[in-house]
Amino acid sequence: MRALAQFVMRGPLQAGGVAAVTTAIPLLFWIGAAVIGLVILRLGISQGLSIGLWALLPALGWSWFGQDPTALVVLLQAMLMASILRITLSWEKALLAGSFLGIVTGLMLPLVYPDLLNDLVQAGVRFYEEYNAEIASSLGSELETVIRQTMNASMAGTYLVIGVCMTMLARSWQAGLYNPGGFRTEFHSLRLSPAIAVICVITMVAGPVLGLNSMLLGWVGGLPLFVAGLSLVHGVVGRKNLSGQWLVLFYLALVLLGPSLMILLVVLAFVDSWLDIRRRMKPSGPAE
């Protein structure tokens, strides 16, 4: 990956070529998004937008002719978050911008891609009627509505997660080339402000009150807190000079425990926004 980052930073032809080719190839769109993010972070928004057009063309082709908006939405997510990060140097603002675009994506998908969503919903309905008849009968006429909201939220939320990951990948490339260790320090110190943490929590629980898609709001409101929770874990491990095996065990637990540990991370991130746990911890030093 470092060699790829070095290659694309040789000039606009290399960056635009890699971005266009990888976006055009199925399942490699994420590389194109990360490349454009790197260009924006290093060379500026205007340069990034001009090179981003190279990747935007195949992404539009996939979204229009292939009826697959994945490459386009992830590219826009990475471009937006990288631009906000370059202007403000704040991951908090970048994550909020990504969440806002996630809401817009969730609202636009049923309007722009109704056939795609309808096909997914019908497949989900058939699955529940064949393999989970009890749940299907208990939901009755609400089954299609629940599946539609779930599919819509899952698509928009997945695009948001990939966009955040590609922005972080671009930032790590930038640090690796021009500021070794900078991304590690930056990520370890990521913490939401109390006001933003409260806004995220309100967003997560506002769905039923406002009559909106609760799952979509849960994705966009919970992701900044979840990322801050991951940062807290990494920051504690780094501050205590623990081995990388602790992080390996943590991510294994995250895979095994799934939602339970995710919820705990969200809660810890909310508490950390008020208490600043890392600042209160004494760093580990050599034994005297």
Side-chain angles (χ1 to χ4, degrees):
M1 282 297 185
R2 180 183 176 89
L4 177 63
Q6 289 175 329
F7 177 76
V8 301
M9 292 308 295
R10 290 180 181 177
L13 182 62
Q14 290 86 343
V18 171
V21 170
T22 53
T23 305
I25 298 176
L27 302 181
L28 292 183
F29 63 91
W30 55 275
I31 297 179
V35 166
I36 301 304
L38 172 61
V39 173
I40 291 175
L41 290 170
R42 179 61 184 175
L43 301 179
I45 297 175
S46 60
Q47 184 77 4
L49 292 178
S50 62
I51 296 178
L53 292 176
W54 295 49
L56 192 61
L57 292 176
L60 287 171
W62 277 112
S63 64
W64 183 259
F65 297 104
Q67 287 294 294
D68 184 0
T70 304
L72 178 61
V73 177
V74 171
L75 177 62
L76 294 176
Q77 283 278 8
M79 292 174 68
L80 175 63
M81 285 187 282
S83 299
I84 297 298
L85 185 58
R86 177 178 173 85
I87 294 172
T88 65
L89 300 178
S90 169
W91 272 105
E92 179 182 75
K93 293 182 174 63
L95 291 172
L96 288 179
S99 291
F100 174 77
L101 187 55
I103 294 176
V104 174
T105 301
L107 295 176
M108 293 300 295
L109 282 175
L111 301 177
V112 182
Y113 299 97
D115 294 336
L116 172 62
L117 199 58
N118 288 334
D119 291 342
L120 293 174
V121 170
Q122 293 306 316
V125 170
R126 288 194 298 270
F127 173 83
Y128 274 94
E129 288 177 346
E130 292 180 9
Y131 300 102
N132 292 279
E134 294 182 0
I135 296 178
S137 61
S138 63
L139 291 174
S141 59
E142 294 295 322
L143 176 63
E144 182 173 338
T145 300
V146 171
I147 294 178
R148 184 175 299 276
Q149 291 185 347
T150 302
M151 291 293 183
N152 189 15
S154 297
M155 291 176 66
T158 301
Y159 299 154
L160 174 59
V161 171
I162 299 175
V164 170
C165 291
M166 292 310 100
T167 306
M168 289 188 169
L169 178 59
R171 191 63 158 178
S172 67
W173 282 350
Q174 182 193 25
L177 293 177
Y178 307 106
N179 182 28
F183 176 70
R184 180 180 185 272
T185 301
E186 194 174 70
F187 184 65
H188 283 195
S189 62
L190 194 161
R191 184 176 70 93
L192 300 184
S193 64
I196 297 302
V198 170
I199 291 175
C200 289
V201 171
I202 293 176
T203 301
M204 293 174 64
V205 301
V209 178
L210 300 178
L212 300 176
N213 189 332
S214 300
M215 297 180 188
L216 175 61
L217 294 182
W219 273 95
V220 300
L223 186 63
L225 286 167
F226 177 71
V227 173
L230 293 178
S231 170
L232 175 61
V233 173
H234 280 257
V236 170
V237 170
R239 195 167 180 81
K240 290 297 184 179
N241 291 323
L242 302 176
S243 68
Q245 293 179 351
W246 287 95
L247 291 177
V248 173
L249 292 175
F250 164 74
Y251 280 105
L252 285 175
L254 188 61
V255 171
L256 295 175
L257 299 179
S260 300
L261 188 52
M262 290 181 182
I263 294 173
L264 177 60
L265 286 175
V266 168
V267 173
L268 286 175
F270 182 80
V271 173
D272 183 54
S273 68
W274 295 86
L275 299 182
D276 195 355
I277 297 172
R278 280 158 289 191
R279 183 178 62 83
R280 296 170 181 269
M281 295 178 61
K282 294 182 178 179
S284 296
E288 295 182 358

